[in-house]
Amino acid sequence: MRPNIIKRYKGNPILTKEDVPYPVETVHNAGVIKHRGRYIMLFRAHRRNGRSIIGLAEGPDGFHFQVRSEPFLVPSTDHEFMTYEEYGVEDPRICEIDGEYLITYSAYSRYGVRIGLALTKDFKVVKRLALITQADCRNVVIFPQKFNSLYLRLDRPHSGISPWSIWLSYSPDLIYWGNSKLAMKPLKYHWDELKIGPGATPFPTSQGWLHIYHGAFQTMSGAIYRLGVALHDPKDPAKILGVADDWILQPEDPWEVTGYVPNVVFTCGAIPEEDGTVKIYWGGADRVICVGTAQISDLVDLCLTKPRPPL
Amino acid sequence: MEDPRITYLRDIGEWVISYTAYSDGGPLVCLAKTKDFQSFERLRAVMPPENKDAALFPARFNGCWAMLHHPTPAMADVGRHIWISFSPDLKHWGNHQILIRARRGGWWDANNIGLSPPPLHPPEGWLILYHGIRQTVSGVIYRLGPALLDLKDPTRVLRRADEWIFSPEEVYERQGDVDDVVFPCGWTLKGDELRLYYGGADSCVALATGSLKEIIKYLRHCPPAGRFMGQL
């Protein structure tokens, strides 16, 4: 049998609700970043009312994490944000830029779902900057570098007409965004045909920006969420150099196949390491957090040697 | 390309046209500028899909341009409302917020409302006219109702009518490509006379006139509006 391109860590799942010192029923969909030599994880957790908050865990090696005693981000009580966070905050992504950490999260309310942007320098104090999309939009990741002095993000706006796709937009200041463009679409009768969305914060490689995304396929007994990979041009990420035709991860372990939502692997974070590997974090069945490792060059090769059309 | 609205921006001496671009990924809002209606400069897509029915205010607020628009959430039962957003440069937009909510229940403007012509500025405030889309078992009915926004802070709704003030009645409004639609994208004001240019049943362009004073007087009799009018 051909080995998986992502090697699952033997100690999976690395975080479960039992590790959390406050009452939650799930931990999943975690953004992860290295900060001062330690791994910081922001994870989504369902409270027992079915609404989500964001918790923080940290550890020395990317495999072992200790959860902080209090949640990191809960629905805002500030007037500007509270209306749109009434049903919870979800799916954080972290982007390090200019020595600060940007956090994009889903703000969920009776008006739908949109994206909030928050900033922290130390993962102790966090400040909300703005709501940066309209409804409905999820899964925004910001590139950790500016292009022609503009910030760049990958978006996933929702449509009733077209399968949900990955878009890009640009901003001079993180608050005001424009020049929206379609970057990548689901492919008909393909593992990602139902919808695709940005996953982990993209990271640079010698051949371009690597972006690990999720795609879903509808079956008679529900959707299956898998992970795929795309390579973006190093200078102009609106250009896609290749999207791997194969998925790189699918639900296989028992805690990925069954849980809160069955058959889901969903990523919000990946950490490239100096030894040429990348640690990829994913939520298993919306209930636990798992990690695996891949060779960055294998992922790049898969995008370039066995591509499918991005659009 | 669909449903253009035109706003003259005195500060820059140009007209801005907001239109719905229909893309492979759904409808989205694009802007273009012109000085002479001969040549046009596209400012590209300013809102990702799905979004429609956008129009600019002709003035800046705290240095930012403002736009009303109509995102379409895919989620069920969240309603489709009129939003307001701001921009320092017309190209990049943010500070998005819901301005006027679609009502719930049996109202003429339940569940789905969108801006029609661009905001007008009589001294009392910004006058806007929006369409409410009533879903019936035999199709939809588009009708029009007014609201008044604060002149200095257009995120404040001062008044909103409970009733529609214009609805399909003539044959060319009731029957066409899409039945029972009156849909204006432009109006002009001369003295007290408002001239409303609207699509009838998605098949023809028609004109109606009204008195600005009367509309304002009517709105003044409506109860003061709070934030998120229509919340039940």
Side-chain angles (χ1 to χ4, degrees):
Chain A
M1 200 182 80
R2 191 170 61 113
N4 286 331
I5 199 163
I6 297 176
K7 280 200 185 69
R8 285 177 167 83
Y9 175 61
K10 287 207 165 55
N12 275 347
I14 56 166
L15 205 74
T16 71
K17 67 175 184 176
E18 280 76 28
D19 300 315
V20 182
Y22 41 89
V24 294
E25 283 306 307
T26 68
V27 292
H28 59 299
N29 300 1
V32 188
I33 201 109
K34 260 194 206 172
H35 170 61
R36 294 187 181 159
R38 289 180 62 83
Y39 292 77
I40 306 269
M41 170 188 282
L42 297 180
F43 59 86
R44 172 179 173 189
H46 278 102
R47 281 181 161 158
R48 287 177 187 161
N49 59 6
R51 296 178 179 179
S52 295
I53 56 167
I54 293 171
L56 184 145
E58 59 183 312
D61 58 4
F63 298 107
H64 300 88
F65 287 88
Q66 189 93 37
V67 179
R68 191 182 283 174
S69 59
E70 297 294 326
F72 181 73
L73 198 75
V74 299
S76 178
T77 52
D78 177 78
H79 184 78
E80 185 187 345
F81 296 91
M82 64 187 290
T83 307
Y84 300 100
E85 296 183 6
E86 178 190 11
Y87 294 169
V89 288
E90 307 181 347
D91 302 348
R93 272 83 171 183
I94 312 167
C95 163
E96 183 183 4
I97 191 159
D98 302 332
E100 297 181 320
Y101 301 94
L102 299 170
I103 300 157
T104 44
Y105 61 94
S106 296
Y108 193 178
S109 75
R110 68 181 71 187
Y111 305 106
V113 61
R114 48 191 304 214
I115 298 296
L117 174 66
L119 177 76
T120 185
K121 288 178 182 169
D122 53 11
F123 290 95
K124 293 188 177 89
V125 180
V126 58
K127 182 176 179 259
R128 283 170 171 84
L129 296 182
L131 290 155
I132 56 170
T133 73
Q134 51 194 278
D136 287 335
C137 187
R138 272 190 184 277
N139 303 323
V140 165
V141 299
I142 299 174
F143 279 78
Q145 183 189 304
K146 289 193 216 178
F147 301 90
N148 293 323
S149 310
L150 295 173
Y151 294 96
L152 174 60
R153 76 183 191 203
L154 299 174
D155 280 325
R156 214 288 300 283
H158 296 192
S159 164
I161 291 157
S162 179
W164 299 357
S165 306
I166 297 174
W167 287 62
L168 305 128
S169 32
Y170 298 84
S171 173
D173 55 12
L174 293 170
I175 307 298
Y176 301 99
W177 295 82
N179 196 6
S180 294
K181 289 188 230 180
L182 179 61
M184 242 177 92
K185 273 173 58 175
L187 197 61
K188 197 78 191 157
Y189 210 71
H190 193 253
W191 63 268
D192 67 4
E193 83 163 359
L194 177 67
K195 59 180 175 179
I196 59 173
T201 300
F203 58 90
T205 72
S206 58
Q207 281 167 283
W209 292 92
L210 207 62
H211 172 227
I212 299 167
Y213 71 99
H214 69 265
F217 185 87
Q218 189 68 47
T219 76
M220 298 297 282
S221 64
I224 305 173
Y225 280 72
R226 300 183 174 99
L227 300 183
V229 62
L231 187 68
H232 294 246
D233 186 273
K235 289 190 178 139
D236 177 11
K239 284 187 205 150
I240 295 185
L241 305 178
V243 182
D245 190 54
D246 294 352
W247 68 70
I248 59 168
L249 190 79
Q250 70 159 348
E252 285 175 11
D253 272 336
W255 47 85
E256 297 163 351
V257 172
T258 59
Y260 193 77
V261 181
N263 283 318
V264 175
V265 290
F266 189 96
T267 187
C268 293
I271 306 235
E273 303 286 5
E274 282 171 8
D275 64 0
T277 64
V278 55
K279 289 188 179 73
I280 300 165
Y281 296 84
W282 64 87
D286 274 17
R287 196 178 57 175
V288 297
I289 294 168
C290 307
V291 64
T293 341
Q295 292 293 328
I296 292 171
S297 57
D298 287 351
L299 297 173
V300 170
D301 287 349
L302 196 68
C303 294
L304 295 175
T305 56
K306 207 183 170 195
R308 60 91 156 179
L311 294 172
Chain B
M1 295 176 7
E2 305 179 353
D3 304 343
R5 275 83 166 178
I6 309 166
T7 304
Y8 182 65
L9 305 186
R10 194 182 302 274
D11 286 11
I12 60 170
E14 289 188 88
W15 282 270
V16 172
I17 299 153
S18 45
Y19 62 96
T20 303
Y22 220 103
S23 79
D24 197 21
L28 69 168
V29 173
C30 290
L31 300 182
K33 287 196 296 185
T34 184
K35 285 193 167 83
D36 53 12
F37 291 92
Q38 301 288 330
S39 60
F40 299 87
E41 181 198 340
R42 280 184 165 84
L43 301 173
R44 303 188 179 174
V46 292
M47 303 271 166
E50 285 185 18
N51 206 319
K52 286 183 165 194
D53 300 326
L56 262 65
F57 287 81
R60 281 192 251 223
F61 305 92
N62 294 323
C64 279
W65 301 105
M67 178 161 63
L68 301 176
H69 56 104
H70 184 199
T72 308
M75 217 171 265
D77 300 328
V78 299
R80 297 171 182 182
H81 315 287
I82 298 173
W83 291 57
I84 187 168
S85 299
F86 295 88
S87 171
D89 57 8
L90 295 173
K91 289 182 178 171
H92 303 95
W93 291 82
N95 193 9
H96 317 285
Q97 46 195 295
I98 294 175
L99 179 68
I100 302 179
R101 289 179 31 135
R103 284 181 249 237
R104 297 267 178 189
W107 290 87
W108 67 274
D109 59 353
N111 304 326
N112 194 350
I113 61 170
L115 184 73
S116 275
L120 268 187
H121 56 117
E124 291 83 356
W126 294 101
L127 178 64
I128 66 166
L129 190 64
Y130 68 91
H131 56 269
I133 307 173
R134 176 67 197 272
Q135 186 75 48
T136 77
V137 285
S138 64
V140 292
I141 307 171
Y142 281 68
R143 301 186 182 100
L144 302 171
L148 199 62
L149 313 180
D150 186 85
L151 264 189
K152 286 195 178 139
D153 176 7
T155 66
R156 284 186 58 216
V157 182
L158 303 177
R159 293 284 197 279
R160 174 187 186 177
D162 279 349
E163 300 162 311
W164 70 79
I165 61 167
F166 198 69
S167 74
E169 288 174 11
E170 299 287 348
V171 173
Y172 53 84
E173 297 160 353
R174 302 224 46 205
Q175 293 174 10
D177 272 9
V178 183
D179 291 349
D180 288 317
V181 176
V182 286
F183 196 98
C185 290
W187 53 3
T188 59
L189 182 64
K190 195 170 182 189
D192 182 51
E193 188 187 73
L194 263 177
R195 289 185 181 169
L196 184 68
Y197 297 86
Y198 62 96
D202 275 20
S203 294
C204 62
V205 176
L207 171 64
T209 59
S211 158
L212 176 66
K213 271 191 202 139
E214 277 186 31
I215 293 173
I216 297 288
K217 194 171 144 197
Y218 167 63
L219 274 169
R220 285 276 170 215
H221 280 94
C222 298
R227 261 181 90 80
F228 285 168
M229 264 304 293
Q231 184 156 5
L232 298 174

